[in-house]
Amino acid sequence: MHASVSVPDLSTAALSAPTLPDGFSAIVYCEGQFGEQDGKTANGLARSSEKYDILSVVDSTHAGADAGMLLDGVRDGIPVLATLAEAITHAGRVPDYLIWGMAPADGLLSASQRAVVLDGIARGMHVINGLHEFLNDDAEFVAASLLAGVTITDVRRPREPKDLHLFSGRIFDVTCPRIAILGTDGAIGKRTTTTVLVQALKARGINAVMVGTGQTSLIQGGKYGVAIDALVPQFCSGELENQVVAAFEAENPDIIIVEGQGALSHPAYLTSAHILRGSRPQAVIVQHAPRRTVLGDFPMVAMPTVASEIALIEAFADTRVIGVTLNHEHMSDADISRAIDDYEIELGLPVTDPLTRPIDRLVATVLDAFPELVNAAGLRAA
């Protein structure tokens, strides 16, 4: 009913994270948060997953919906179901993995949430945990996983300090262009924009590689990346630099697109600073949600304007903002069109919504900034 694993010794269970095989079936748990900001891990997995076959999403508040219709108005065949038990019944078997699909600001489990994870373990499901709370440090979860013969993977657990990288300057040997997708808030769509942009560039014959910076991109199956917000700040720039260099050396890419985290102006999520320092992008695209008036997890703080974020980014780093992408939450199609026109006039930059407008618009922004990519694609096609 579930994948065969060797049961680790209790003394080492909290010290190791298994290397997971591709293509295993999974249920994503996202009670009360699917489609919301704190449900960004589940949202991302419903849209794209290279590692897991997502069978369903658990969220009783949207039970009966199709995940794709709820997120983007396009049916994707992933049902949203009310309970874990119902999701298992729907699958017709116990799926291999239970993936924790929420990313709250505190990163901790409530008592009721603990019960769901323990239920999944008891049923024989491996657990993928993207929270700051490491379940392999919790005696109850370790004992339950040992009894059931399953694994728990704490995606955000960093390696030992001796295995981490300080900034080394190797980034200066990376000769291909690099673009960072930054934003004006957390959970605003930076990873989604990064993903669709990389896919679109690849479809045009451009060897684009994504470097992830959060737990969701790692869970989705990203080949290069690090959960940067789980690191001691001293190693953030160096660890990201190391991933960019690894991608450059292994893939010989035409361009590297780096996923952003938080916002440079954010009072709590300052990882954009390390992204700018570690990846040294020649260009930045800024993601913004026009209808947000306050920061997602910090309602006491007003949203920055796009113009102020651009000014801050360009003052902080030796880079340039080449375009703006919009998150269309709470916006009609007419609202989106109006916002695109208004921002283009105000900022003098190309603006688009990568999910509701042709992706060619965003690709054109990149090609205009780096025309050598057109030649690279042409040579590859020839």
Side-chain angles (χ1 to χ4, degrees), residues 93-125:
R93 66 189 190 282
V94 177
D96 302 300
Y97 287 93
L98 174 62
I99 302 176
W100 191 257
M102 291 174 279
D106 62 9
L108 302 176
L109 288 172
S110 68
S112 61
Q113 291 168 345
R114 287 178 65 90
V116 172
V117 178
L118 289 167
D119 182 31
I121 290 172
R123 292 172 184 268
M125 301 176 73

mmCIF file of all heavy atoms in Angstrom, residues 93-125:
data_model
loop_
_atom_site.group_PDB
_atom_site.id
_atom_site.type_symbol
_atom_site.label_atom_id
_atom_site.label_comp_id
_atom_site.label_asym_id
_atom_site.label_seq_id
_atom_site.Cartn_x
_atom_site.Cartn_y
_atom_site.Cartn_z
ATOM 1 N N ARG A 93 -6.774 3.734 -2.603
ATOM 2 C CA ARG A 93 -5.644 3.094 -1.929
ATOM 3 C C ARG A 93 -5.041 4.134 -0.995
ATOM 4 O O ARG A 93 -5.419 5.307 -1.046
ATOM 5 C CB ARG A 93 -4.577 2.638 -2.923
ATOM 6 C CG ARG A 93 -3.894 3.795 -3.647
ATOM 7 C CD ARG A 93 -3.006 3.325 -4.778
ATOM 8 N NE ARG A 93 -2.160 4.354 -5.341
ATOM 9 C CZ ARG A 93 -2.550 5.286 -6.181
ATOM 10 N NH1 ARG A 93 -3.828 5.345 -6.548
ATOM 11 N NH2 ARG A 93 -1.704 6.174 -6.645
ATOM 12 N N VAL A 94 -4.108 3.736 -0.164
ATOM 13 C CA VAL A 94 -3.390 4.714 0.656
ATOM 14 C C VAL A 94 -2.271 5.302 -0.200
ATOM 15 O O VAL A 94 -1.333 4.586 -0.576
ATOM 16 C CB VAL A 94 -2.802 4.062 1.928
ATOM 17 C CG1 VAL A 94 -2.003 5.092 2.714
ATOM 18 C CG2 VAL A 94 -3.903 3.484 2.796
ATOM 19 N N PRO A 95 -2.347 6.581 -0.536
ATOM 20 C CA PRO A 95 -1.267 7.190 -1.324
ATOM 21 C C PRO A 95 0.059 7.150 -0.564
ATOM 22 O O PRO A 95 0.094 6.991 0.656
ATOM 23 C CB PRO A 95 -1.756 8.622 -1.541
ATOM 24 C CG PRO A 95 -3.245 8.534 -1.406
ATOM 25 C CD PRO A 95 -3.471 7.505 -0.334
ATOM 26 N N ASP A 96 1.139 7.328 -1.291
ATOM 27 C CA ASP A 96 2.460 7.201 -0.686
ATOM 28 C C ASP A 96 2.794 8.340 0.265
ATOM 29 O O ASP A 96 3.456 8.124 1.283
ATOM 30 C CB ASP A 96 3.524 7.142 -1.788
ATOM 31 C CG ASP A 96 3.280 5.988 -2.740
ATOM 32 O OD1 ASP A 96 3.274 4.837 -2.276
ATOM 33 O OD2 ASP A 96 3.058 6.249 -3.938
ATOM 34 N N TYR A 97 2.336 9.554 -0.063
ATOM 35 C CA TYR A 97 2.768 10.721 0.705
ATOM 36 C C TYR A 97 1.607 11.603 1.151
ATOM 37 O O TYR A 97 0.625 11.782 0.424
ATOM 38 C CB TYR A 97 3.733 11.578 -0.123
ATOM 39 C CG TYR A 97 5.093 10.946 -0.257
ATOM 40 C CD1 TYR A 97 5.394 10.133 -1.348
ATOM 41 C CD2 TYR A 97 6.069 11.125 0.717
ATOM 42 C CE1 TYR A 97 6.630 9.526 -1.470
ATOM 43 C CE2 TYR A 97 7.306 10.520 0.607
ATOM 44 C CZ TYR A 97 7.580 9.723 -0.488
ATOM 45 O OH TYR A 97 8.804 9.122 -0.583
ATOM 46 N N LEU A 98 1.761 12.159 2.340
ATOM 47 C CA LEU A 98 0.923 13.251 2.826
ATOM 48 C C LEU A 98 1.815 14.483 2.863
ATOM 49 O O LEU A 98 2.813 14.517 3.597
ATOM 50 C CB LEU A 98 0.377 12.942 4.223
ATOM 51 C CG LEU A 98 -0.399 14.069 4.907
ATOM 52 C CD1 LEU A 98 -1.640 14.447 4.102
ATOM 53 C CD2 LEU A 98 -0.784 13.675 6.334
ATOM 54 N N ILE A 99 1.467 15.482 2.062
ATOM 55 C CA ILE A 99 2.264 16.704 1.979
ATOM 56 C C ILE A 99 1.550 17.811 2.734
ATOM 57 O O ILE A 99 0.367 18.078 2.500
ATOM 58 C CB ILE A 99 2.493 17.133 0.518
ATOM 59 C CG1 ILE A 99 3.187 16.011 -0.264
ATOM 60 C CG2 ILE A 99 3.308 18.417 0.460
ATOM 61 C CD1 ILE A 99 3.371 16.314 -1.738
ATOM 62 N N TRP A 100 2.289 18.451 3.629
ATOM 63 C CA TRP A 100 1.738 19.581 4.363
ATOM 64 C C TRP A 100 1.705 20.789 3.448
ATOM 65 O O TRP A 100 2.744 21.263 2.989
ATOM 66 C CB TRP A 100 2.568 19.877 5.611
ATOM 67 C CG TRP A 100 1.890 20.840 6.520
ATOM 68 C CD1 TRP A 100 2.159 22.168 6.679
ATOM 69 C CD2 TRP A 100 0.772 20.563 7.369
ATOM 70 N NE1 TRP A 100 1.285 22.727 7.566
ATOM 71 C CE2 TRP A 100 0.420 21.764 8.003
ATOM 72 C CE3 TRP A 100 0.045 19.405 7.640
ATOM 73 C CZ2 TRP A 100 -0.626 21.841 8.914
ATOM 74 C CZ3 TRP A 100 -1.009 19.477 8.529
ATOM 75 C CH2 TRP A 100 -1.328 20.693 9.165
ATOM 76 N N GLY A 101 0.515 21.313 3.157
ATOM 77 C CA GLY A 101 0.370 22.318 2.119
ATOM 78 C C GLY A 101 0.271 23.753 2.581
ATOM 79 O O GLY A 101 0.053 24.646 1.764
ATOM 80 N N MET A 102 0.444 24.002 3.864
ATOM 81 C CA MET A 102 0.284 25.350 4.394
ATOM 82 C C MET A 102 1.618 25.926 4.848
ATOM 83 O O MET A 102 2.497 25.194 5.289
ATOM 84 C CB MET A 102 -0.710 25.342 5.551
ATOM 85 C CG MET A 102 -2.130 25.046 5.101
ATOM 86 S SD MET A 102 -3.300 24.872 6.480
ATOM 87 C CE MET A 102 -2.984 23.184 6.986
ATOM 88 N N ALA A 103 1.724 27.246 4.757
ATOM 89 C CA ALA A 103 2.951 27.927 5.171
ATOM 90 C C ALA A 103 2.581 29.160 5.999
ATOM 91 O O ALA A 103 2.753 30.295 5.558
ATOM 92 C CB ALA A 103 3.774 28.335 3.952
ATOM 93 N N PRO A 104 2.060 28.956 7.212
ATOM 94 C CA PRO A 104 1.695 30.093 8.053
ATOM 95 C C PRO A 104 2.919 30.850 8.534
ATOM 96 O O PRO A 104 4.042 30.316 8.527
ATOM 97 C CB PRO A 104 0.956 29.436 9.222
ATOM 98 C CG PRO A 104 1.556 28.069 9.311
ATOM 99 C CD PRO A 104 1.836 27.672 7.884
ATOM 100 N N ALA A 105 2.717 32.081 8.977
ATOM 101 C CA ALA A 105 3.837 32.915 9.405
ATOM 102 C C ALA A 105 4.605 32.286 10.557
ATOM 103 O O ALA A 105 5.840 32.359 10.617
ATOM 104 C CB ALA A 105 3.330 34.303 9.802
ATOM 105 N N ASP A 106 3.879 31.648 11.508
ATOM 106 C CA ASP A 106 4.582 31.071 12.658
ATOM 107 C C ASP A 106 5.184 29.706 12.359
ATOM 108 O O ASP A 106 6.067 29.236 13.073
ATOM 109 C CB ASP A 106 3.662 30.989 13.884
ATOM 110 C CG ASP A 106 2.442 30.099 13.670
ATOM 111 O OD1 ASP A 106 2.373 29.407 12.633
ATOM 112 O OD2 ASP A 106 1.560 30.101 14.546
ATOM 113 N N GLY A 107 4.724 29.060 11.279
ATOM 114 C CA GLY A 107 5.306 27.790 10.869
ATOM 115 C C GLY A 107 5.123 26.663 11.864
ATOM 116 O O GLY A 107 5.938 25.738 11.916
ATOM 117 N N LEU A 108 4.054 26.677 12.657
ATOM 118 C CA LEU A 108 3.856 25.677 13.699
ATOM 119 C C LEU A 108 2.543 24.936 13.501
ATOM 120 O O LEU A 108 1.602 25.446 12.889
ATOM 121 C CB LEU A 108 3.865 26.351 15.076
ATOM 122 C CG LEU A 108 5.127 27.153 15.440
ATOM 123 C CD1 LEU A 108 4.947 27.834 16.787
ATOM 124 C CD2 LEU A 108 6.348 26.244 15.453
ATOM 125 N N LEU A 109 2.458 23.725 14.077
ATOM 126 C CA LEU A 109 1.258 22.900 13.997
ATOM 127 C C LEU A 109 0.352 23.124 15.201
ATOM 128 O O LEU A 109 0.830 23.215 16.333
ATOM 129 C CB LEU A 109 1.634 21.420 13.964
ATOM 130 C CG LEU A 109 2.264 20.850 12.693
ATOM 131 C CD1 LEU A 109 2.723 19.428 12.967
ATOM 132 C CD2 LEU A 109 1.296 20.891 11.545
ATOM 133 N N SER A 110 -0.953 23.169 14.961
ATOM 134 C CA SER A 110 -1.922 23.189 16.052
ATOM 135 C C SER A 110 -2.188 21.751 16.497
ATOM 136 O O SER A 110 -1.779 20.783 15.840
ATOM 137 C CB SER A 110 -3.229 23.830 15.595
ATOM 138 O OG SER A 110 -3.863 22.997 14.640
ATOM 139 N N ALA A 111 -2.899 21.595 17.606
ATOM 140 C CA ALA A 111 -3.211 20.253 18.113
ATOM 141 C C ALA A 111 -4.027 19.448 17.107
ATOM 142 O O ALA A 111 -3.769 18.257 16.885
ATOM 143 C CB ALA A 111 -3.960 20.369 19.435
ATOM 144 N N SER A 112 -5.018 20.066 16.479
ATOM 145 C CA SER A 112 -5.837 19.351 15.507
ATOM 146 C C SER A 112 -5.031 18.987 14.265
ATOM 147 O O SER A 112 -5.245 17.926 13.657
ATOM 148 C CB SER A 112 -7.055 20.196 15.116
ATOM 149 O OG SER A 112 -6.659 21.411 14.513
ATOM 150 N N GLN A 113 -4.100 19.845 13.881
ATOM 151 C CA GLN A 113 -3.266 19.550 12.721
ATOM 152 C C GLN A 113 -2.310 18.389 13.012
ATOM 153 O O GLN A 113 -2.054 17.551 12.139
ATOM 154 C CB GLN A 113 -2.499 20.799 12.304
ATOM 155 C CG GLN A 113 -3.396 21.885 11.720
ATOM 156 C CD GLN A 113 -2.691 23.225 11.574
ATOM 157 O OE1 GLN A 113 -1.618 23.445 12.147
ATOM 158 N NE2 GLN A 113 -3.285 24.127 10.815
ATOM 159 N N ARG A 114 -1.792 18.353 14.226
ATOM 160 C CA ARG A 114 -0.942 17.226 14.627
ATOM 161 C C ARG A 114 -1.695 15.915 14.477
ATOM 162 O O ARG A 114 -1.145 14.910 14.002
ATOM 163 C CB ARG A 114 -0.493 17.393 16.084
ATOM 164 C CG ARG A 114 0.551 18.454 16.327
ATOM 165 C CD ARG A 114 0.875 18.554 17.826
ATOM 166 N NE ARG A 114 1.498 17.326 18.318
ATOM 167 C CZ ARG A 114 2.805 17.097 18.337
ATOM 168 N NH1 ARG A 114 3.641 18.018 17.889
ATOM 169 N NH2 ARG A 114 3.289 15.959 18.804
ATOM 170 N N ALA A 115 -2.969 15.918 14.864
ATOM 171 C CA ALA A 115 -3.768 14.695 14.798
ATOM 172 C C ALA A 115 -3.905 14.206 13.361
ATOM 173 O O ALA A 115 -3.868 12.994 13.099
ATOM 174 C CB ALA A 115 -5.140 14.944 15.416
ATOM 175 N N VAL A 116 -4.051 15.127 12.411
ATOM 176 C CA VAL A 116 -4.179 14.738 11.006
ATOM 177 C C VAL A 116 -2.887 14.094 10.507
ATOM 178 O O VAL A 116 -2.903 13.058 9.842
ATOM 179 C CB VAL A 116 -4.551 15.954 10.139
ATOM 180 C CG1 VAL A 116 -4.479 15.590 8.658
ATOM 181 C CG2 VAL A 116 -5.937 16.454 10.489
ATOM 182 N N VAL A 117 -1.753 14.707 10.831
ATOM 183 C CA VAL A 117 -0.472 14.161 10.381
ATOM 184 C C VAL A 117 -0.240 12.778 10.994
ATOM 185 O O VAL A 117 0.192 11.835 10.317
ATOM 186 C CB VAL A 117 0.684 15.115 10.723
ATOM 187 C CG1 VAL A 117 2.022 14.505 10.302
ATOM 188 C CG2 VAL A 117 0.486 16.461 10.043
ATOM 189 N N LEU A 118 -0.532 12.651 12.276
ATOM 190 C CA LEU A 118 -0.369 11.347 12.932
ATOM 191 C C LEU A 118 -1.297 10.301 12.335
ATOM 192 O O LEU A 118 -0.931 9.124 12.205
ATOM 193 C CB LEU A 118 -0.613 11.486 14.433
ATOM 194 C CG LEU A 118 0.489 12.237 15.201
ATOM 195 C CD1 LEU A 118 0.021 12.594 16.602
ATOM 196 C CD2 LEU A 118 1.767 11.401 15.261
ATOM 197 N N ASP A 119 -2.496 10.704 11.932
ATOM 198 C CA ASP A 119 -3.422 9.791 11.272
ATOM 199 C C ASP A 119 -2.845 9.318 9.943
ATOM 200 O O ASP A 119 -2.895 8.125 9.612
ATOM 201 C CB ASP A 119 -4.761 10.498 11.060
ATOM 202 C CG ASP A 119 -5.809 9.597 10.407
ATOM 203 O OD1 ASP A 119 -5.761 8.371 10.643
ATOM 204 O OD2 ASP A 119 -6.655 10.118 9.670
ATOM 205 N N GLY A 120 -2.275 10.249 9.174
ATOM 206 C CA GLY A 120 -1.661 9.881 7.909
ATOM 207 C C GLY A 120 -0.511 8.901 8.095
ATOM 208 O O GLY A 120 -0.374 7.929 7.340
ATOM 209 N N ILE A 121 0.302 9.157 9.106
ATOM 210 C CA ILE A 121 1.418 8.250 9.405
ATOM 211 C C ILE A 121 0.895 6.865 9.760
ATOM 212 O O ILE A 121 1.385 5.842 9.261
ATOM 213 C CB ILE A 121 2.277 8.825 10.548
ATOM 214 C CG1 ILE A 121 3.038 10.074 10.065
ATOM 215 C CG2 ILE A 121 3.251 7.781 11.080
ATOM 216 C CD1 ILE A 121 3.759 10.810 11.167
ATOM 217 N N ALA A 122 -0.111 6.815 10.637
ATOM 218 C CA ALA A 122 -0.667 5.531 11.074
ATOM 219 C C ALA A 122 -1.245 4.741 9.902
ATOM 220 O O ALA A 122 -1.244 3.505 9.911
ATOM 221 C CB ALA A 122 -1.739 5.765 12.137
ATOM 222 N N ARG A 123 -1.733 5.441 8.891
ATOM 223 C CA ARG A 123 -2.295 4.778 7.715
ATOM 224 C C ARG A 123 -1.209 4.284 6.752
ATOM 225 O O ARG A 123 -1.500 3.599 5.781
ATOM 226 C CB ARG A 123 -3.248 5.723 6.981
ATOM 227 C CG ARG A 123 -4.521 6.049 7.753
ATOM 228 C CD ARG A 123 -5.291 7.138 7.026
ATOM 229 N NE ARG A 123 -6.479 7.560 7.751
ATOM 230 C CZ ARG A 123 -7.695 7.046 7.579
ATOM 231 N NH1 ARG A 123 -7.880 6.053 6.718
ATOM 232 N NH2 ARG A 123 -8.724 7.515 8.263
ATOM 233 N N GLY A 124 0.048 4.683 7.007
ATOM 234 C CA GLY A 124 1.155 4.231 6.168
ATOM 235 C C GLY A 124 1.632 5.235 5.144
ATOM 236 O O GLY A 124 2.207 4.854 4.116
ATOM 237 N N MET A 125 1.421 6.524 5.416
ATOM 238 C CA MET A 125 1.839 7.559 4.472
ATOM 239 C C MET A 125 3.126 8.226 4.961
ATOM 240 O O MET A 125 3.244 8.593 6.124
ATOM 241 C CB MET A 125 0.731 8.612 4.318
ATOM 242 C CG MET A 125 -0.590 8.041 3.819
ATOM 243 S SD MET A 125 -1.901 9.289 3.756
ATOM 244 C CE MET A 125 -1.366 10.234 2.330
#
